[in-house]
């Protein structure tokens, strides 16, 4: 993270090093670095920068619990495939919930990293 903060232009160049076989790994590192950098730019303390980076790196760790056939599938994914894939944040949370390295707020962020707000919750009805 320190190196990325010294040369932030390299964070956005990481996609040049990504290949299909290692996508999940590269994505995790990229999200961790981007998340840490955003928190750094928000002028948060160094501990929070590292927590954001760790959370970004771990957000998709639950993908390891998915059947390899889903990750390696060449043809179009079905609705059932996506239903399985969408469970990965729950798997990620279960994998890290007892970790003493991450703050509870990071664990919740990992769990909710694909969460979507419904518009009726955001915009009050008259």
């Amino acid at each position: 993270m320190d190196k990325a903060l010294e040369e932030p232009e390299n964070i956005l160049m990481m996609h040049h090093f990504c290949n299909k076989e290692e996508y999940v790994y590269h994505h995790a590192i990229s999200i961790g670095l981007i998340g840490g950098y955003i928190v750094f730019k928000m002028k948060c303390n160094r501990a929070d920068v590292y927590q954001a980076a760790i959370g970004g790196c771990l957000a998709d760790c639950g993908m390891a619990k998915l059947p390899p056939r889903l990750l390696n599938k060449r043809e179009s994914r079905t609705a059932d495939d996506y239903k399985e894939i969408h469970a990965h944040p729950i798997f990620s949370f279960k994998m890290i919930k007892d970790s003493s390295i991450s703050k509870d707020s990071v664990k919740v962020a990992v769990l909710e990293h694909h969460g979507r707000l419904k518009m009726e919750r955001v915009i009050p009805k008259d």
Side-chain angles (χ1 to χ4, degrees), residues 60-71:
D60 286 338
C61 68
M63 296 288 273
K65 298 286 188 181
L66 298 176
R69 67 173 173 75
L70 284 178
L71 301 177

Side-chain angles (χ1 to χ4, degrees), residues 28-44:
I29 299 302
S30 295
I31 295 303
L33 291 174
I34 291 168
Y37 183 69
I38 290 170
V39 172
F40 172 76
K41 291 303 279 184
M42 293 171 61
K43 308 237 185 280
C44 293

Side-chain angles (χ1 to χ4, degrees), residues 102-114:
S102 298
K103 291 182 177 180
D104 288 344
S105 58
V106 171
K107 295 173 188 177
V108 171
V110 166
L111 176 63
E112 298 181 352
H113 79 272
H114 280 295

Side-chain angles (χ1 to χ4, degrees), residues 69-120:
R69 67 173 173 75
L70 284 178
L71 301 177
N72 302 326
K73 193 170 187 177
R74 295 198 185 275
E75 60 273 0
S76 296
R77 291 188 172 109
T78 66
D80 286 338
D81 292 339
Y82 282 111
K83 189 174 181 178
E84 281 187 78
I85 291 169
H86 289 152
H88 82 270
I90 296 166
F91 297 142
S92 296
F93 176 76
K94 287 180 178 180
M95 291 170 76
I96 67 165
K97 69 181 175 66
D98 296 323
S99 169
S100 61
I101 295 172
S102 298
K103 291 182 177 180
D104 288 344
S105 58
V106 171
K107 295 173 188 177
V108 171
V110 166
L111 176 63
E112 298 181 352
H113 79 272
H114 280 295
R116 304 285 189 269
L117 291 174
K118 293 187 181 252
M119 289 310 292
E120 60 268 15

Side-chain angles (χ1 to χ4, degrees), residues 1-11 14 33 37 40 46 49-50:
M1 189 75 238
D2 290 331
K3 185 74 169 165
L5 295 177
E6 291 171 17
E7 300 174 18
E9 63 279 0
N10 289 336
I11 295 172
M14 289 187 64
L33 291 174
Y37 183 69
F40 172 76
R46 196 63 136 200
V49 169
Y50 280 94

